[in-house]
Amino acid sequence: MTDRPVDPAAGAEATDLPEGEPTVAPPPGGSGFGDAAGEMANETEVEEQVAGDAVAGDAPGTAEERPDLGSGDTDVDTEEDELAAMKGSLADLTNDLQRLSAEYANYRKRVDRDRQLVAETAAYKALAPVVEVLDTIDRAREHGELDGGFKAVADQLERVVASAGLVRFGEPGDAFDPTFHEALSHLGTDPEVQVTTVKHVAKGGYRMGERVVRAAQVLVVDPADA
């Protein structure tokens, strides 16, 4: 091997390298430390410029990415309007339901009343002719002719019509009521009565509930001071 000439500019470090290892040449144009310092200065200027732009409101993406506070208020107003509309619809539906419920309740009452009226009318038509038979039984009882088997039949008939709702009314001493009594005659005055009073019952009256089947046919007396 031949001796390699030593470059004086490499300094003492070059002389310490072992033989056969390549040497690294310094970068051309002067020292590398100066270039690094220059690059750091440039980066500092860029960062200061970016910071200044951010303060001035010119940061990249600020206008597009900054949240719009006004749109949030609009969303809240829209939700409140929708909630108010839903409450209004609910109130309308509730009123409709209550009205339908009241109409149905009235319908049920009317149907029940009509059904009862139909039943009373049917019973009235069936029992009205029986009134004459009951009159015959009353006359037979007054004359003492109601006895034996005929009396048992008469008693059973009276019980049957009473259970069907046919009620007899009209007795001597009752106050005269033109709703329930038919006055056949006035027998004068009576000092013992204060109002027009039934003195004698010619034919008893019959009614079903509040409906008069036949008014009682009576003879009446008037008070003495009438």
Side-chain angles (χ1 to χ4, degrees), residues 155-204:
D155 292 342
Q156 184 178 4
L157 178 61
E158 290 176 345
R159 288 194 299 270
V160 170
V161 297
S163 64
L166 186 65
V167 180
R168 188 183 188 279
F169 65 90
E171 297 293 338
D174 292 344
F176 177 76
D177 185 348
T179 305
F180 300 103
H181 302 108
E182 179 185 354
L184 300 178
S185 176
H186 285 72
L187 301 179
T189 61
D190 188 341
E192 296 181 358
V193 299
Q194 303 297 323
V195 295
T196 302
T197 305
V198 175
K199 189 68 175 179
H200 176 73
V201 178
K203 287 185 178 181

Side-chain angles (χ1 to χ4, degrees), residues 21-58:
E21 295 293 333
T23 60
V24 179
S31 174
F33 177 78
D35 293 339
E39 292 177 358
M40 294 178 62
N42 292 335
E43 292 177 359
T44 302
E45 292 178 357
V46 171
E47 292 176 356
E48 291 178 353
Q49 182 178 0
V50 171
D53 293 341
V55 173
D58 295 335

Side-chain angles (χ1 to χ4, degrees), residues 69-85:
L69 299 179
S71 61
D73 296 338
T74 303
D75 294 340
V76 172
D77 294 340
T78 303
E79 292 178 356
E80 291 179 352
D81 294 340
E82 292 178 353
L83 180 59

